[in-house]
Amino acid sequence: MIREISVPTHKHTEFINIGRQVQNAVKEIGVKDGICLVYTPHTTAAITINEDADPDVTRDIMMELEKAFPWNDIDYRHNEGNSAAHIKSSLVGASVMVIMENGKLIQGTWQTIYFCEFDGPRNRKVYVKIVGK
Amino acid sequence: MIREISVPTHKHTEFINIGRQVQNAVKEIGVKDGICLVYTPHTTAAITINEDADPDVTRDIMMELEKAFPWNDIDYRHNEGNSAAHIKSSLVGASVMVIMENGKLIQGTWQTIYFCEFDGPRNRKVYVKIVGK
Amino acid sequence: MIREISVPTHKHTEFINIGRQVQNAVKEIGVKDGICLVYTPHTTAAITINEDADPDVTRDIMMELEKAFPWNDIDYRHNEGNSAAHIKSSLVGASVMVIMENGKLIQGTWQTIYFCEFDGPRNRKVYVKIVGK
């Protein structure tokens, strides 16, 4: 069984905390013990795990990624003009894996799961799949 | 059961679309529902998911990675001279995971799986493994 | 079953080879065939796969990551001052997956698993979980 989460994004670049939605999907799937894959089917977005507490953490990640892989670069050739979003997508990655035990995601105190929008705003999707028992 | 895919590379830096080969390996393994791991056993290569349509997307990814992590840097100490390839390998990652349903990989419309060569040309390998049922 | 590995780190930035500890955890879990998830619950650290042979490889990776995502940047806002560690954590990633067969991790000749400390020294943890049979 696959659960699909809808993630509407509202800015060009945005990290959206989807930890609660993933936990709800996990409950609906009903598998108690195993590994949970959180996967986005988009090539200008990504999924990551990082700090939940201070919003400046994800703000600084976005800023520094923009410095290293700028939106504007005279050498880009891709005619949609969003090469930087594709680059960030491959570096951050299309998915994360989290261990499940007793029906709960096992994460660190400060960890949550983020959907990373790199070319929004758009209506995005995330798939949740569990293997285990 | 593990399926091995051979990937001969022909350039120093090259993204090779292996989506069809992975799908064929998945058919041979015969598991219908679960999670598929696509893994490369090399430390100067990687696996990623990105756009299939315009070849300039992967061209721009390679170019921008080279700008951020240049092949030549007077501060490198590794005596084989390929530190940049090792760096890109760790950032892009040695594997991707894809959800499987009814014997098919569930990917986005524009997504495919790429083998990323960062120190070629070489004869490379990719392993495909499924957990599920 | 989850196995926990303790990883004391001794420097601010440090890659620690945990390949042997992961293999020992795999033996204790006792699952012979499947996929092994190696996951760190911290947001200023990461897990990666890279070369085992020459210590200058990981030294060069750390150096080049510091050049691309410097510890000091006047534009950072996160008040703990460790934004660079959070950035590297998301780029390298909180986990790796490795295929298991006959009770052994299937890795390339030069590959091992590293715990990546980006804001040490600290006492860190790594979780090992296997799905399969």
Side-chain angles (χ1 to χ4, degrees):
Chain A
M1 193 165 83
I2 301 172
R3 280 281 151 182
E4 186 178 315
I5 298 171
S6 291
V7 186
T9 65
H10 300 96
K11 299 180 185 172
H12 183 265
T13 305
E14 190 179 8
F15 278 36
I16 296 176
N17 187 339
I18 57 168
R20 188 165 300 182
Q21 285 158 284
V22 173
Q23 183 64 57
N24 289 342
V26 159
K27 273 186 203 153
E28 287 170 0
I29 294 172
V31 179
K32 298 288 181 202
D33 187 85
I35 290 177
C36 174
L37 174 64
V38 183
Y39 181 96
T40 186
H42 308 288
T43 58
T44 53
I47 306 287
T48 197
I49 291 168
N50 218 297
E51 181 179 313
D52 191 12
D54 178 2
D56 279 338
V57 169
T58 53
R59 179 262 176 207
D60 286 354
I61 294 174
M62 286 183 272
M63 178 200 71
E64 207 69 5
L65 284 177
E66 173 64 24
K67 286 194 185 187
F69 311 103
W71 187 261
N72 293 306
D73 183 328
I74 198 167
D75 294 324
Y76 289 142
R77 288 201 200 144
H78 178 45
N79 57 18
E80 292 182 49
N82 60 355
S83 290
H86 288 287
I87 294 161
K88 293 172 189 174
S89 176
S90 271
L91 288 178
V92 177
S95 69
V96 296
M97 307 288 300
V98 183
I99 298 170
M100 290 188 50
E101 214 175 32
N102 300 320
K104 289 203 173 163
L105 300 170
I106 304 298
Q107 294 203 274
T109 314
W110 306 106
Q111 286 184 322
T112 191
I113 300 168
Y114 285 99
F115 178 86
C116 310
E117 174 63 83
F118 295 125
D119 189 24
R122 303 197 195 200
N123 289 312
R124 300 295 205 170
K125 289 186 289 187
V126 172
Y127 302 145
V128 179
K129 171 80 179 175
I130 303 172
V131 283
K133 44 191 172 174
Chain B
M1 192 164 83
I2 303 171
R3 279 280 152 182
E4 186 178 316
I5 297 171
S6 291
V7 185
T9 65
H10 300 96
K11 297 178 186 173
H12 183 265
T13 305
E14 189 178 8
F15 278 36
I16 296 176
N17 187 338
I18 57 169
R20 186 164 302 180
Q21 286 158 284
V22 173
Q23 184 64 60
N24 288 342
V26 160
K27 273 185 202 154
E28 288 171 358
I29 294 172
V31 179
K32 298 288 182 201
D33 188 85
I35 290 177
C36 175
L37 173 63
V38 183
Y39 181 96
T40 186
H42 308 288
T43 58
T44 54
I47 306 287
T48 196
I49 291 167
N50 219 298
E51 181 180 313
D52 191 11
D54 178 1
D56 278 339
V57 168
T58 52
R59 180 262 176 206
D60 285 354
I61 294 173
M62 285 183 272
M63 180 200 69
E64 207 70 5
L65 284 177
E66 173 63 25
K67 285 193 186 188
F69 310 104
W71 187 260
N72 294 306
D73 183 329
I74 198 167
D75 294 325
Y76 289 142
R77 288 201 200 143
H78 178 44
N79 57 20
E80 291 183 49
N82 61 354
S83 290
H86 288 287
I87 293 162
K88 294 172 189 173
S89 176
S90 271
L91 289 178
V92 178
S95 69
V96 296
M97 305 288 301
V98 183
I99 298 170
M100 290 189 51
E101 214 174 32
N102 299 320
K104 288 200 173 164
L105 300 170
I106 305 298
Q107 293 202 274
T109 313
W110 306 106
Q111 286 184 324
T112 192
I113 301 168
Y114 284 99
F115 178 85
C116 311
E117 174 63 83
F118 295 125
D119 189 24
R122 301 197 196 200
N123 288 312
R124 300 294 204 169
K125 291 186 289 188
V126 172
Y127 302 146
V128 179
K129 172 80 179 177
I130 303 170
V131 284
K133 48 193 168 172
Chain C
M1 191 164 83
I2 302 171
R3 278 281 152 183
E4 186 178 317
I5 298 171
S6 291
V7 185
T9 64
H10 299 96
K11 298 180 185 171
H12 183 266
T13 305
E14 188 179 11
F15 278 37
I16 296 176
N17 187 339
I18 57 169
R20 187 165 301 180
Q21 285 157 284
V22 174
Q23 184 65 58
N24 288 343
V26 160
K27 273 186 203 155
E28 287 171 359
I29 294 172
V31 179
K32 298 288 182 200
D33 188 85
I35 290 177
C36 174
L37 174 63
V38 183
Y39 181 97
T40 185
H42 308 288
T43 59
T44 53
I47 307 287
T48 198
I49 291 168
N50 218 298
E51 181 179 314
D52 190 12
D54 178 2
D56 278 340
V57 168
T58 52
R59 180 260 176 208
D60 285 354
I61 294 173
M62 286 183 271
M63 178 200 70
E64 207 69 4
L65 284 176
E66 172 64 24
K67 285 193 185 187
F69 311 103
W71 188 260
N72 293 307
D73 183 328
I74 197 167
D75 294 324
Y76 289 141
R77 288 201 200 143
H78 177 44
N79 58 18
E80 292 182 51
N82 60 355
S83 291
H86 288 286
I87 294 161
K88 294 172 189 173
S89 177
S90 272
L91 289 178
V92 177
S95 68
V96 296
M97 306 288 299
V98 182
I99 299 169
M100 288 189 51
E101 214 174 32
N102 300 320
K104 287 201 174 164
L105 300 170
I106 305 298
Q107 294 202 275
T109 313
W110 306 107
Q111 286 183 323
T112 193
I113 301 168
Y114 284 99
F115 178 85
C116 311
E117 174 63 83
F118 295 126
D119 189 23
R122 301 197 198 202
N123 289 314
R124 301 294 205 171
K125 289 186 291 187
V126 172
Y127 303 145
V128 178
K129 171 80 179 177
I130 303 171
V131 283
K133 44 188 172 174

